[in-house]
Amino acid sequence: MSDEQALWYVVHTYSGYENKVANDLIKTVENNGMGDLIQDVRVPIEEVVEVRNGKPHTIQNKLFPGYVLVKMIKTTETWYIVRNTRGVTGFVGPGSEPIPLSDEEFERMMSCQGTIHIDLEPGDSVRVKNGSIENAIYTVEEVMAEEHKVKVSIEILSRKTTTVYDVSEVERL
């Protein structure tokens, strides 16, 4: 066992093999009792909420396709195990020398927040689905994705009136 501190390394994989590489590494670590040397394996993902027809759908996207993060104490043995996992093409670093991430780099990579995509844009026509003005037709003025809302307008008696609705309360026409 080493007194060295485990650091995060970036491992390059074949595209689409990220989860398989991560799972295989975790199994190898468990089977060989190497949890003290290879401490964590992650495939950074973001959850994206897409609103389609007024209903939210959560999708998981890989933040860095083709890469897996491994927290390990670099030894000849850990380097060999990671490097020889099926689907791994190498470590990120010059030649075959892995370069660890700084704490700031790791935090920045992991801090990507989930986003929301709303299938509406300014100028689209929408219908209010419920309430006292059910079936009223509005024009989208602004999409406020972070708040899951849309600002819409309607012309009543030659005056433009704007209001804000939750995206689940309107549907695209």
Side-chain angles (χ1 to χ4, degrees):
M1 178 132 96
S2 174
D3 290 335
E4 291 183 55
Q5 179 183 0
L7 299 171
W8 285 101
Y9 293 88
V10 180
V11 177
H12 191 263
T13 69
Y14 292 123
S15 183
Y17 278 70
E18 302 87 356
N19 292 335
K20 177 146 182 44
V21 165
N23 291 335
D24 287 352
L25 263 174
I26 290 167
K27 284 180 189 167
T28 300
V29 168
E30 289 172 358
N31 291 341
N32 294 309
M34 297 182 64
D36 56 331
L37 293 174
I38 299 177
Q39 299 175 1
D40 200 353
V41 180
R42 296 190 191 176
V43 178
I45 60 166
E46 71 172 338
E47 290 194 343
V48 178
V49 178
E50 290 187 352
V51 178
R52 289 186 236 130
N53 297 324
K55 295 182 180 158
H57 298 277
T58 302
I59 299 168
Q60 291 187 339
N61 290 331
K62 291 178 182 74
L63 286 174
F64 308 103
Y67 295 95
V68 173
L69 301 180
V70 178
K71 185 176 186 178
M72 68 179 199
I73 296 171
K74 188 180 89 174
T75 66
T76 305
E77 187 179 16
T78 57
W79 181 91
Y80 182 84
I81 285 173
V82 173
R83 183 67 184 88
N84 289 290
T85 299
R86 182 186 298 250
V88 170
T89 60
F91 283 92
V92 172
S96 62
E97 184 62 29
I99 301 293
L101 294 173
S102 68
D103 291 341
E104 295 78 26
E105 289 170 324
F106 175 76
E107 290 303 321
R108 197 169 44 241
M109 288 178 82
M110 297 307 292
S111 68
C112 297
Q113 298 294 314
T115 56
I116 184 165
H117 174 73
I118 300 171
D119 66 347
L120 294 171
E121 51 188 64
D124 286 348
S125 294
V126 294
R127 179 181 69 82
V128 176
K129 296 195 296 188
N130 51 28
S132 61
I133 46 166
E134 186 175 348
N135 294 323
I137 306 299
Y138 286 85
T139 301
V140 175
E141 296 291 324
E142 180 184 354
V143 177
M144 300 176 294
E146 294 295 317
E147 297 87 20
H148 304 191
K149 298 192 181 299
V150 290
K151 183 186 282 187
V152 296
S153 66
I154 190 169
E155 198 165 308
I156 302 173
L157 302 173
S158 300
R159 293 183 71 179
K160 184 176 178 180
T161 303
T162 59
T163 189
V164 176
Y165 284 102
D166 189 271
V167 294
S168 63
E169 297 177 295
V170 297
E171 67 182 356
R172 180 187 214 155
L173 294 180

